[in-house]
Amino acid sequence: MAAALRGLGLLQGRVRLAATAAATSSFRRPGQRAPVRGGAAATVPSAGKSYGSEAKEEEELRIRYLDDEHKGIVVLGLNRSHAKNALSKNLLKMMSKAVDALKSDKKVRTVIFRSEVPGIFCAGADLKERAKMHSSEVSSFVSKTRATINEMANLPVPTIAAIDGAALGGGLELALACDIRVAASSAKMGLVETKLAIIPGAGGTQRLPRTIGVSLAKELIFSARIVDGEEAKSIGLISHVVEQNEAGDAAYRRALALAKEFLPQGPVAMRVAKLAINQGMEVDLVTGLAIEEACYAQTIPTKDRIEGLLAFKEKRPPRYKGE
């Protein structure tokens, strides 16, 4: 306990810096899409044609800032249909750039990761591209994949993976980096790397045990077993399972409804809550409670907190600005 408390000062400093950065910084979104307005798309934004007029079919990652009742939700859509959304050098570069921009935008409230390609979420690493790499390049590629997925995991806002198709290998590792996973019952998920005589290298050996428990995670990785949405829900790999619809976007629709539930909450509180949970899960309870105390302190001076208390007193919905 004494050792935990000795480190509290440094820990509070780190939490304060992270919370301040999450709460106060902003950026100009490069190449931002025209927002979707009106009509059915405003109720349930879909893929393809509902994007801004600048969207192009060949874009491997579609970045979409929703508007109207979904304002504050950003959708990142994987769009490599010819390669089943496999993670290539270019796609990783685009993902890293997008995440780097999103993490400092205080107007972003929730990020949804989805696929624009029917029947697939992400097939993992692009093995055809990797086969052309020199052995020295492979290690660099895996490190870049791991770093990009870590960047996703560290986004200061809630993240949801909408799994409407297969999420295998690196695709499941990408989903595991999200705070919440929603899947169609027909979706297929698994860390299948041992079939190729390798192991998951983008966080799978660490995040899967933390999600479903050590013994079961070992079983799935050792066997390279693939599970469907129903089994994934039963073992705690995903939070919600839904029956697939004719459009093939049932998981995305459920993710969107879930993200909408987050919108009315205090933006700074949401960011700091995620920080407290993520850091607290990696330490003992005493240190975790100290992290919570330091994070709670970051919400006291904010205008969000004042507005929340005032709205409660006046019996009206709060109007948060996300300072």
Side-chain angles (χ1 to χ4, degrees):
M1 178 174 179
L5 292 177
R6 281 197 299 272
L8 178 56
L10 177 61
L11 187 59
Q12 286 177 320
R14 290 177 178 174
V15 170
R16 189 174 296 109
L17 287 173
T20 301
T24 62
S25 57
S26 61
F27 81 113
R28 180 177 61 83
R29 297 190 285 253
Q32 180 179 351
R33 304 266 176 267
V36 180
R37 299 182 184 276
T43 303
V44 183
S46 57
K49 294 181 180 179
S50 60
Y51 276 79
S53 59
E54 296 179 10
K56 299 177 181 178
E57 291 301 319
E58 66 268 24
E59 288 176 332
E60 294 189 345
L61 180 68
R62 292 181 171 181
I63 307 171
R64 187 177 180 212
Y65 294 81
L66 305 189
D67 209 339
D68 299 323
E69 63 181 308
H70 298 107
K71 187 174 183 180
I73 300 172
V74 178
V75 180
L76 298 185
L78 303 177
N79 188 45
R80 296 190 74 216
S81 58
H82 64 284
K84 297 183 179 180
N85 288 340
L87 301 173
S88 64
K89 287 182 178 179
N90 183 59
L91 181 55
L92 287 172
K93 182 179 179 180
M94 296 177 72
M95 289 171 59
S96 180
K97 183 178 179 180
V99 170
D100 188 57
L102 291 172
K103 69 183 180 184
S104 57
D105 184 358
K106 64 182 181 180
K107 295 181 181 179
V108 175
R109 306 288 295 279
T110 300
V111 177
I112 298 176
F113 290 88
R114 67 165 300 186
S115 169
E116 303 292 336
V117 182
I120 190 75
F121 178 74
C122 176
D126 189 332
L127 298 181
K128 291 183 178 179
E129 182 183 69
R130 183 182 293 189
K132 300 176 182 178
M133 296 180 187
H134 187 273
S135 57
S136 61
E137 293 181 281
V138 175
S139 178
S140 176
F141 175 78
V142 174
S143 294
K144 177 61 178 177
T145 305
R146 184 184 304 113
T148 301
I149 290 178
N150 281 340
E151 290 170 5
M152 287 173 39
N154 291 327
L155 274 169
V157 296
T159 54
I160 306 173
I163 308 171
D164 274 306
L168 305 175
L172 181 54
E173 289 177 302
L174 186 156
L176 283 167
C178 293
D179 299 314
I180 301 165
R181 286 162 295 285
V182 179
S185 57
S186 58
K188 305 297 182 183
M189 290 155 270
L191 295 180
V192 296
E193 287 85 350
T194 52
K195 285 186 176 181
L196 303 175
I198 58 176
I199 69 171
T205 63
Q206 303 305 304
R207 292 194 175 95
L208 187 62
R210 285 167 167 79
T211 302
I212 66 173
V214 174
S215 182
L216 188 52
K218 287 179 178 178
E219 181 180 330
L220 294 186
I221 291 174
F222 294 166
S223 65
R225 185 183 305 155
I226 296 174
V227 300
D228 62 18
E230 294 291 349
E231 185 174 358
K233 176 65 169 63
S234 70
I235 63 177
L237 179 56
I238 61 175
S239 300
H240 302 272
V241 60
V242 292
E243 289 296 322
Q244 189 56 280
N245 56 28
E246 292 184 6
D249 64 352
Y252 168 64
R253 288 172 180 257
R254 182 66 183 92
L256 191 64
L258 190 60
K260 192 176 177 182
E261 289 185 45
F262 301 159
L263 294 180
Q265 320 314 327
V268 176
M270 294 288 282
R271 292 171 182 244
V272 178
K274 177 171 177 176
L275 181 66
I277 295 169
N278 284 356
Q279 291 196 359
M281 288 300 295
E282 302 302 321
V283 298
D284 61 89
L285 180 59
V286 172
T287 307
L289 291 172
I291 291 172
E292 180 184 80
E293 181 180 4
C295 287
Y296 184 87
Q298 302 309 307
T299 67
I300 293 176
T302 64
K303 293 179 181 178
D304 276 356
R305 181 175 181 270
I306 297 172
E307 167 60 17
L309 293 173
L310 185 61
F312 178 79
K313 181 180 179 180
E314 297 176 354
K315 298 181 180 180
R316 61 170 174 80
R319 295 184 290 270
Y320 295 120
K321 296 182 180 180
E323 62 182 83

